[in-house]
């Protein structure tokens, strides 16, 4: 394969390690509640705190990755993830679990910031993003299939995140010490396209809040409202994340052919329908249909949004800032979903969240249309079979 078609596997690996915690949110929150005797709201609050810590890392490091260096920051982030999540997995004293989650979350956010900066510096940011989403979807699906069969307790999903960070550590040796991208020109100066970037960041924060409000309580919907076992719910999540893999492949194959506005705007509208269906599910068929369709579409839309953010600034600052804004929304999701469902029930929660998605689709689509008019750089995405073989080597 040529250099142009060879994905940067260390960045893909780092992306996977950074994004795994949000992908495992339902089982993490659910097991925090059942394993530590917490209420749903308390467990959701810990999940929110973890993701808020991740977002804080992104905002802190948005403009510092090139200055400090990708390799040392990546190693710091992975070390914090191993220590934080590993400590939380082993602890049974709730303050220690919370502290570990906060440290681990900051580590995840640091890894994500380095990965996002490096991906933005590539000539093909959307393509590399799809490989990262492919890796994290595959790994999360494997965890959902495995964890319910290994016994109870809050530590298993946290340990999976820590072990992933540990496995990715050796690949950081292939990251540059000062800069992660391969573009020959890294734009300097103030942030370009400020209005578009701020609008995209604000909209994606709300978009992610909605997604993770449902995702954070999906396990409870399956077990409590649809009356399924944890093993069955885990299998549904694994199949749903498998559908996400197909969605990532589809996004990679489509690339820029249909532009950015259609997949972002129309995709978000269809996701809104899936959210309403999932939240109202009272049997296996409805629950599985909503979750699978939702998870197939989610990575498609997300890959285009991340690619759009990366195209706004070659130094990757908007990619990191937009990603961190997304993490803020993600952080508020578990607590929001728990509070809404406790106050009004899952079906009403789904209706409210779906309406919110339809509202935020408007500014996201507007930014995508504007980007197309400015003819921001878009690179054709090559899909070749060998490129997918080592995808989780993230």
């Amino acid at each position: 394969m040529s250099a142009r078609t060879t994905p940067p596997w260390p960045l893909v690996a780092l992306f996977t390690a950074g994004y795994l915690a949000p992908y495992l949110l339902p089982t993490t929150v659910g097991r925090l509640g059942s394993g530590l005797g917490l209420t749903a709201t308390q467990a959701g609050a810990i999940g929110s705190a973890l993701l808020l810590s991740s977002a804080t890392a992104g905002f802190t490091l948005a403009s510092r990755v090139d200055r400090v260096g990708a390799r040392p920051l990546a190693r710091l982030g992975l070390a914090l993830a191993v220590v934080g999540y590993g400590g939380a997995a082993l602890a049974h004293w709730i303050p220690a679990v919370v502290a570990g989650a906060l440290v681990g979350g900051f580590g995840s956010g640091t890894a994500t910031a380095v990965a996002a900066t490096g991906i933005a510096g590539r000539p093909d940011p959307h393509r590399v993003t799809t490989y990262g989403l492919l890796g994290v979807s595959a790994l999360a699906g494997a965890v959902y299939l495995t964890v319910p069969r290994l016994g109870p307790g809050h530590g298993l999903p946290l340990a999976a995140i820590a072990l992933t960070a540990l496995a990715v550590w050796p690949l950081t040796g292939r990251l540059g010490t000062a800069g992660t991208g391969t573009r020959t020109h890294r734009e300097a100066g103030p942030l370009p396209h400020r209005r578009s970037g701020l609008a995209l960041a604000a909209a994606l924060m709300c978009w992610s809040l909605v997604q993770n409000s449902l995702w954070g309580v999906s396990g409870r919907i399956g077990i409590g409202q649809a009356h399924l076992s944890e093993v069955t719910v885990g299998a549904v999540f694994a199949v749903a994340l498998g559908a996400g893999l197909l969605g990532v492949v589809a996004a990679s194959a489509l690339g820029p052919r249909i532009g950015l506005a259609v997949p972002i705007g129309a995709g978000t509208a269809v996701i809104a329908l899936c959210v309403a269906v999932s939240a109202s599910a009272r049997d296996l068929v409805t629950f599985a249909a909503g979750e699978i369709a939702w998870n197939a579409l989610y990575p498609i839309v997300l890959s285009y949004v991340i690619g759009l953010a990366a195209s706004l600034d070659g130094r990757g600052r908007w990619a990191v800032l937009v990603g961190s804004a997304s993490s803020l929304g993600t952080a508020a999701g578990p607590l929001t979903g728990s509070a809404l469902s406790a106050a009004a029930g899952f079906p009403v929660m789904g209706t409210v969240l779906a309406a919110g998605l339809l509202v935020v689709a408007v500014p996201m689509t507007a930014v995508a249309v504007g980007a197309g008019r400015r003819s921001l750089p878009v690179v054709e995405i090559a899909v070749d079979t060998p490129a997918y073989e080592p995808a989780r080597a993230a």
Side-chain angles (χ1 to χ4, degrees):
M1 261 182 291
S2 68
R4 178 182 176 277
T5 59
T6 302
W9 297 119
L11 287 178
V12 174
L14 207 56
F15 183 101
T16 298
Y19 266 81
L20 185 59
Y23 267 66
L24 295 184
L25 196 63
T27 187
T28 301
V29 170
R31 282 179 169 251
L32 284 171
S34 61
L36 297 175
L38 302 175
T39 66
T41 302
Q42 289 171 333
I46 295 177
S48 292
L50 184 160
L51 297 172
L52 181 60
S53 180
S54 180
T56 300
F59 283 119
T60 302
L61 300 171
S63 61
R64 293 177 170 84
V65 175
D66 280 335
R67 189 185 317 156
V68 177
R71 186 187 302 162
L73 273 182
R75 287 178 171 175
L76 173 64
L78 294 174
L80 290 174
V82 171
V83 172
Y85 293 125
L90 295 173
H92 292 276
W93 186 43
I94 293 175
V97 173
V98 173
L102 290 174
V103 172
F106 197 90
S108 291
T110 301
T112 302
V114 176
T117 301
I119 289 170
R122 300 283 301 179
D124 49 359
H126 178 258
R127 174 173 167 266
V128 180
T129 298
T130 60
Y131 288 128
L133 290 171
L134 188 69
V136 73
S137 296
L139 183 56
V143 173
Y144 276 116
L145 283 175
T146 304
V147 164
R149 291 169 169 78
L150 296 179
H154 74 283
L156 289 173
L158 294 168
I161 306 171
L163 290 173
T164 299
L166 186 63
V168 169
W169 175 278
L171 296 177
T172 58
R174 296 169 58 188
L175 293 172
T177 55
T180 54
T182 60
R183 284 183 186 172
T184 57
H185 176 63
R186 305 276 285 188
E187 295 91 334
L191 276 171
H193 310 299
R194 283 178 176 266
R195 185 175 301 175
S196 295
L198 289 172
L200 185 63
L204 189 60
M205 180 176 66
C206 298
W207 189 88
S208 296
L209 184 149
V210 169
Q211 309 285 336
N212 284 279
S213 292
L214 178 62
W215 189 234
V217 299
S218 285
R220 289 167 49 207
I221 293 172
I223 294 172
Q225 182 172 277
H227 307 294
L228 307 175
S229 68
E230 184 186 7
V231 172
T232 302
V233 170
V236 170
F237 287 159
V239 173
L241 291 170
L245 295 178
L246 297 179
V248 171
V249 173
S252 183
L254 284 172
R257 292 181 181 86
I258 58 174
L260 296 170
V262 171
I264 290 175
T268 297
V270 178
I271 286 175
L273 176 62
C274 297
V275 166
V277 170
S278 293
S280 64
R282 296 186 180 277
D283 55 56
L284 173 60
V285 173
T286 307
F287 180 72
E291 292 289 326
I292 291 170
W294 172 34
N295 279 276
L297 288 167
Y298 171 83
I300 296 178
V301 178
L302 182 61
S303 70
Y304 279 97
V305 174
I306 294 175
L308 173 59
S311 70
L312 294 175
D313 174 37
R315 291 185 62 194
R317 291 168 294 178
W318 275 126
V320 176
L321 289 170
V322 168
S324 298
S326 173
S327 295
L328 280 179
T330 299
L335 190 56
T336 301
S338 296
L340 274 176
S341 60
F346 292 122
V348 173
M349 177 202 72
T351 301
V352 172
L353 296 178
L357 273 182
L358 293 177
V359 171
V360 301
V362 176
M364 292 172 70
T365 305
V367 174
V369 170
R373 289 174 179 168
R374 287 193 300 270
S375 299
L376 291 171
V378 180
V379 178
E380 193 71 22
I381 300 169
V383 179
D384 45 297
T385 303
Y388 286 95
E389 291 175 356
R392 280 193 291 121

